[in-house]
Amino acid sequence: MSKNLAELDQKHFIHPTSSIQQQQQHGPAYIFEKGDGIYLTDTKGDTYIDAMASLWNVNIGHGRSELGEVAKEQMEKLAFSSAFSTFSHEPAILLAEKIASIAPGSLNAVFFTSGGSESNDTAFKLARHYWKLKGEPERRKIISRKKAYHGVAAASTSATGIPQFWDMAGTFMPDFVHAETPYEKSTAEAIESMRQVIEHEGPETIAAFIAEPVQGAGGVIIPPDDYFQAIRNLCDEYGILFIADEIITGFGRTGKMFGMENWNVQPDLMTFAKGVTSGYIPFGGVVVSDAIHDMLKERSTGTLFHGFTYSGHPTASAVALKNIEILEKENLPANAQKMGERLLEGFKKIRNDTQIIGDVRTIGLLGAVELVKDPAANERFPAELGVAGKAIHALYDHGVICRPVTFDNTDIICFAPPLIINEEQIDTIVEKVHDAVVAVEKTIGENAF
């Protein structure tokens, strides 16, 4: 059966963010058929630790029957109903209330989407619409950051600060600019870069600044403690809206319900997806501040010509409510904080026992290990060695699924296991990472040093 599935995959399934050539030559790398807690099992019967929570999103773990049960119950009652033309239904209303109750500060009104890319595109449109209603329609530009990942829809691709995503279709939308990120830079340097962008573009043309609290796909880049307060102050100085992209960091991932809470900074808009349903059903949204919502209510006329067929999907809303209930009942943000600290201690021990580990970092259950040629000098390996790729495959061989980042000649291994993980499982990951790094050291040989 597995062989037949592999052939069908090659013939009919175009995979996202994958090598088409590799798929056609070798078929799918793995065909998974079962998930249980932090584990995935493939059609060959091999079991792996899902140390990425699949795509940073299976926060409550695999195989939670509670979400299936609530989905079934909602489908039998009202599987789908439109939210257009002010139509409404109970699950979306209750979910909007719930998200408003747990979101930081004055973020109290929610626009629902089907996922993260839609959420960020929506945030950009709402920010521009806000300024248009306020009588400043020239404020259209969005400032993002290098190494940022904000999705692959039209606008969110342009906000993404990783050029490989722009190159795919050969297009880049106007009115998007990128400042420096605080990776190997001080807060002062990153803030100065953003100030220069603002002054060059003209503050009167800028609608919003968007940032992930922790840059995920860019390599789990955790900002300095004073960075986001400085960003908030700069946005206030120039009258720029601040959008927090919480698509990876939301719903407990960083040890807080939302990532920006680690720095006590209040955004004007907050986007979410992934962890809101732990990936059990596609869903996302944008939460806006009272000030933005009040402007929409007071000055809007006619129809808000923006929306998706599945905005406020009843079944997805019911699943999200149950997912949030589990996060709170099991205190999973606190567990993420505790287990993240244990993971960091394990990474530090591996660094002391091996030759090629540079920086290691975690915040909650977001973590990264950098592989470098000379840790003392932070000298990186030549890109042609493909050290991160070798490490990922070594981890696969040891039964751990995680993710490499190789942009800008980095070799970073990212980790984001489900928030239900326990101490024993963390220690198993650490042991397997140690063994994988040792295997990579042997593979690349002394000539690499």
Side-chain angles (χ1 to χ4, degrees):
M1 180 178 178
S2 297
K3 181 180 180 180
N4 183 49
L5 285 175
E7 291 173 353
L8 292 172
D9 183 286
Q10 287 174 289
K11 186 175 182 180
H12 300 294
F13 188 2
I14 301 174
H15 287 252
T17 316
S18 299
S19 167
I20 293 178
Q21 183 182 34
Q22 182 180 0
Q23 180 205 7
Q24 291 307 307
Q25 289 179 349
H26 305 292
Y30 302 94
I31 301 177
F32 294 110
E33 64 177 4
K34 182 181 178 182
D36 182 18
I38 70 164
Y39 303 102
L40 290 170
T41 302
D42 67 11
T43 52
K44 298 177 182 178
D46 295 325
T47 296
Y48 299 83
I49 296 173
D50 184 4
M52 276 305 299
S54 289
L55 278 175
W56 325 82
N57 61 341
V58 187
N59 288 8
I60 67 168
H62 296 281
R64 299 296 294 254
S65 60
E66 304 99 305
L67 297 194
E69 290 163 2
V70 78
K72 178 178 182 293
E73 180 181 342
Q74 184 59 45
M75 285 181 179
E76 290 174 341
K77 183 178 181 181
L78 178 68
F80 176 75
S81 178
S82 169
F84 284 27
S85 303
T86 71
F87 291 5
S88 200
H89 49 78
E90 182 180 31
I93 294 169
L94 295 181
L95 179 60
E97 177 196 36
K98 181 61 182 178
I99 289 176
S101 75
I102 62 176
S106 66
L107 296 171
N108 285 315
V110 188
F111 186 102
F112 290 118
T113 70
S114 306
S117 294
E118 284 185 2
S119 295
N120 284 331
D121 272 37
T122 296
F124 303 146
K125 291 178 75 173
L126 288 175
R128 289 167 172 171
H129 185 55
Y130 167 84
W131 288 113
K132 185 177 179 181
L133 291 175
K134 202 170 181 181
E136 300 183 55
E138 66 279 5
R139 282 188 179 262
R140 293 188 47 80
K141 293 177 183 176
I142 306 295
I143 300 177
S144 179
R145 301 179 298 171
K146 297 175 182 179
K147 293 182 177 289
Y149 181 81
H150 296 295
V152 292
S156 55
T157 295
S158 296
T160 289
I162 301 169
Q164 287 87 339
F165 286 95
W166 311 335
D167 296 341
M168 179 248 179
T171 58
F172 183 85
M173 292 182 70
D175 295 331
F176 286 88
V177 291
H178 298 85
E180 292 290 343
T181 193
Y183 175 65
E184 299 181 337
K185 294 185 182 297
S186 67
T187 292
E189 291 171 318
I191 294 298
E192 180 58 26
S193 170
M194 183 172 165
R195 186 181 291 278
Q196 289 176 4
V197 169
I198 293 170
E199 292 290 349
H200 180 265
E201 299 296 328
E204 71 283 356
T205 70
I206 298 169
F209 167 77
I210 185 169
E212 305 153 89
V214 178
Q215 289 183 297
V220 185
I221 300 171
I222 303 169
D225 287 341
D226 59 346
Y227 173 75
F228 273 116
Q229 186 57 62
I231 285 288
R232 178 73 267 184
N233 294 342
L234 195 63
C235 287
D236 291 343
E237 177 183 343
Y238 288 102
I240 296 168
L241 296 177
F242 178 19
I243 304 169
D245 178 345
E246 294 269 8
I247 290 162
I248 285 175
T249 53
F251 301 98
R253 173 59 57 190
T254 66
K256 303 283 187 181
M257 188 59 78
F258 296 100
M260 205 58 72
E261 292 179 292
N262 287 281
W263 301 281
N264 297 313
V265 170
Q266 169 74 56
D268 301 296
L269 302 94
M270 181 178 78
T271 59
F272 65 88
K274 293 188 183 290
V276 68
T277 61
S278 288
Y280 279 65
I281 195 166
F283 205 56
V286 183
V287 198
V288 304
S289 67
D290 291 335
I292 293 175
H293 193 209
D294 289 344
M295 181 69 68
L296 295 177
K297 291 185 290 185
E298 291 168 7
R299 299 195 185 183
S300 292
T301 59
T303 301
L304 179 68
F305 280 101
H306 181 71
F308 307 98
T309 298
Y310 299 118
S311 291
H313 192 289
T315 303
S317 297
V319 169
L321 278 165
K322 176 57 70 172
N323 179 71
I324 295 170
E325 177 186 314
I326 292 170
L327 286 168
E328 292 182 326
K329 182 178 179 181
E330 299 182 7
N331 205 13
L332 294 183
N335 191 62
Q337 176 68 32
K338 182 179 178 182
M339 293 301 102
E341 291 171 357
R342 191 177 186 92
L343 184 63
L344 181 59
E345 289 305 309
F347 287 162
K348 290 178 179 178
K349 290 177 182 178
I350 300 170
R351 182 173 59 188
N352 292 336
D353 290 342
T354 56
Q355 302 178 62
I356 62 171
I357 293 182
D359 189 43
V360 296
R361 51 189 179 268
T362 65
I363 180 169
L365 281 170
L366 273 176
V369 170
E370 296 208 28
L371 305 178
V372 293
K373 183 176 180 179
D374 181 355
N378 196 31
E379 180 186 355
R380 294 170 181 169
F381 287 105
E384 59 268 20
L385 275 179
V387 173
K390 288 180 171 65
I392 288 295
H393 286 289
L395 281 163
Y396 292 166
D397 291 342
H398 286 83
V400 177
I401 296 169
C402 47
R403 178 171 178 161
V405 170
T406 57
F407 309 122
D408 297 332
N409 195 33
T410 57
D411 288 291
I412 301 173
I413 310 302
C414 301
F415 299 83
L419 309 188
I420 60 168
I421 197 167
N422 61 37
E423 292 182 352
E424 181 181 354
Q425 293 165 337
I426 287 286
D427 293 346
T428 298
I429 290 176
V430 169
E431 179 183 343
K432 290 176 178 292
V433 172
H434 175 276
D435 293 346
V437 172
V438 170
V440 170
E441 287 179 338
K442 293 178 180 178
T443 299
I444 59 180
E446 293 185 1
N447 290 336
F449 301 96

